[in-house]
């Protein structure tokens, strides 16, 4: 529903401009109301779930753990991760193509992500994450319905999708004190409204930010009643 709303809003803007410039007599979307959307789903990986998935993968599918770990250490969308090419891997950053916003971002490479990339080298000359046949990149739906579903059930984790690793990325950054603007840039969000959905995970950060306004002493409070200064 949210995707439909976005497309209709773009179309309505174009039609309004066409009406303004007298290319059409009246926009057919005038008065159109956006569809009601369900509350945003923010599901992130809990500590015990991470350990359970890691243990299951270590025994049954070690490569899958690398794929999942890369997901919640970079926060890449599925399309951004699975279509990642070696040409996009630079010395200290990933040149990420953001299909949702039609932009390019530089995502810094840290130690663990660097080790995962090294483990992937040599598997394919083009794709960082090739499929089993090495003919193409990993297919998201196939990975989700087969390997990931098996791992999730084997680890006893419920109601978790691959996209939730992206939620985990944003949630952990916020909860560990990273500011909203930085999280927005790292995640490649097109709007601060999207990033703000995670703000409730760090209420202490908001409270501590107000400490900078606290004066060392407060003359107003130190004045006793009946003794104005």
């Amino acid at each position: 529903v949210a995707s439909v709303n976005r497309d209709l809003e773009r179309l309505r803007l174009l039609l309004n401009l066409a009406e303004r410039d007298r290319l059409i007599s009246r926009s057919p979307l005038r008065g159109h109301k956006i569809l009601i959307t369900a509350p945003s789903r923010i599901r992130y990986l809990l500590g015990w779930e991470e350990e359970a998935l890691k243990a299951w993968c270590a025994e049954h599918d070690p490569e899958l753990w690398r794929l999942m770990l890369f997901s919640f250490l970079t926060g890449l969308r599925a399309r951004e991760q699975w279509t990642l090419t070696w040409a996009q891997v630079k010395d200290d950053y990933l040149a990420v193509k953001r299909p949702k916003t039609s932009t390019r971002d530089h995502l810094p490479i840290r130690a663990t992500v660097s080790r995962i990339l090294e483990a992937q080298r040599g598997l394919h000359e083009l794709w960082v994450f090739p499929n089993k046949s090495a003919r193409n990149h990993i297919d998201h739906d196939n990975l989700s319905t087969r390997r990931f579903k098996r791992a999730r059930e084997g680890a006893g984790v419920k109601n978790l999708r691959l996209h939730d690793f992206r939620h985990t990325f944003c949630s952990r950054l916020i909860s560990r004190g990273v500011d909203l603007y930085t999280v927005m840039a790292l995640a490649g969000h097109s709007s601060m409204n999207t990033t703000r959905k995670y703000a409730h995970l760090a209420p202490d950060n908001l409270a501590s930010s107000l400490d900078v306004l606290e004066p060392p002493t407060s003359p107003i409070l130190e004045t006793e009643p009946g003794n104005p200064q």
Side-chain angles (χ1 to χ4, degrees):
V1 174
S3 298
V4 171
N5 282 338
R6 282 193 296 270
D7 289 341
L8 286 176
E9 283 301 301
R10 294 187 183 100
L11 181 57
R12 179 160 63 177
L13 173 62
L14 291 174
L15 291 171
N16 286 344
L17 293 174
E19 182 180 335
R20 182 200 67 184
D21 295 339
R22 299 182 180 180
L23 299 174
I24 58 176
S25 59
R26 178 183 172 87
S27 168
L29 285 181
R30 179 182 288 188
H32 165 76
K33 296 182 179 179
I34 63 173
L35 303 174
I36 298 175
T37 58
S40 299
R41 177 187 185 277
I42 298 181
R43 168 72 160 93
Y44 50 87
L45 196 64
L46 302 176
W48 74 265
E49 293 174 328
E50 180 180 345
E51 292 303 318
L53 285 170
K54 182 179 180 180
W56 189 93
C57 288
E59 183 177 353
H60 303 283
D61 194 345
E63 183 198 27
L64 180 60
W65 176 248
R66 290 204 305 270
L67 303 181
M68 292 189 295
L69 186 61
F70 192 91
S71 293
F72 67 73
L73 288 179
T74 62
L76 294 181
R77 299 178 179 90
R79 182 178 174 185
E80 295 166 354
Q81 178 170 346
W82 309 133
T83 61
L84 190 68
T85 67
W86 288 111
Q88 293 174 254
V89 180
K90 309 303 180 181
D91 290 338
D92 56 356
Y93 68 89
L94 300 176
V96 182
K97 300 176 182 177
R98 304 287 190 185
K100 202 166 185 178
T101 58
S102 300
T103 59
R104 291 176 180 267
D105 291 337
H106 289 174
L107 184 66
I109 295 175
R110 311 313 291 166
T112 304
V113 169
S114 179
R115 289 195 293 269
I116 294 173
L117 290 171
E118 286 304 312
Q120 293 295 120
R121 287 195 182 277
L123 299 182
H124 198 278
E125 61 180 7
L126 175 62
W127 306 113
V128 175
F129 298 105
N131 59 17
K132 291 293 185 180
S133 67
R135 295 178 179 177
N136 206 337
H137 59 74
I138 283 178
D139 179 84
H140 177 76
D141 292 337
N142 185 281
L143 179 71
S144 180
T145 56
R146 294 187 179 184
R147 295 170 67 186
F148 178 66
K149 181 180 179 182
R150 182 166 171 257
R152 185 184 62 203
E153 292 176 349
V157 176
K158 299 180 180 180
N159 191 31
L160 186 74
R161 305 175 303 185
L162 284 172
H163 186 73
D164 294 330
F165 292 123
R166 178 170 166 82
H167 290 317
T168 302
F169 171 81
C170 296
S171 300
R172 290 189 178 181
L173 288 173
I174 292 290
S175 63
R176 295 176 186 181
V178 179
D179 65 272
L180 291 176
Y181 182 80
T182 300
V183 175
M184 176 185 174
L186 291 172
H189 290 153
S190 59
S191 169
M192 179 60 76
N193 290 333
T194 303
T195 315
R196 196 175 289 118
K197 291 186 295 185
Y198 302 92
H200 69 282
L201 297 171
D204 291 342
N205 294 341
L206 296 178
S208 61
S209 297
L210 294 176
D211 289 341
V212 302
L213 300 179
E214 290 293 318
T217 58
S218 178
I220 296 176
L221 296 179
E222 289 176 355
T223 303
E224 297 182 2
N227 294 316
Q229 293 183 352

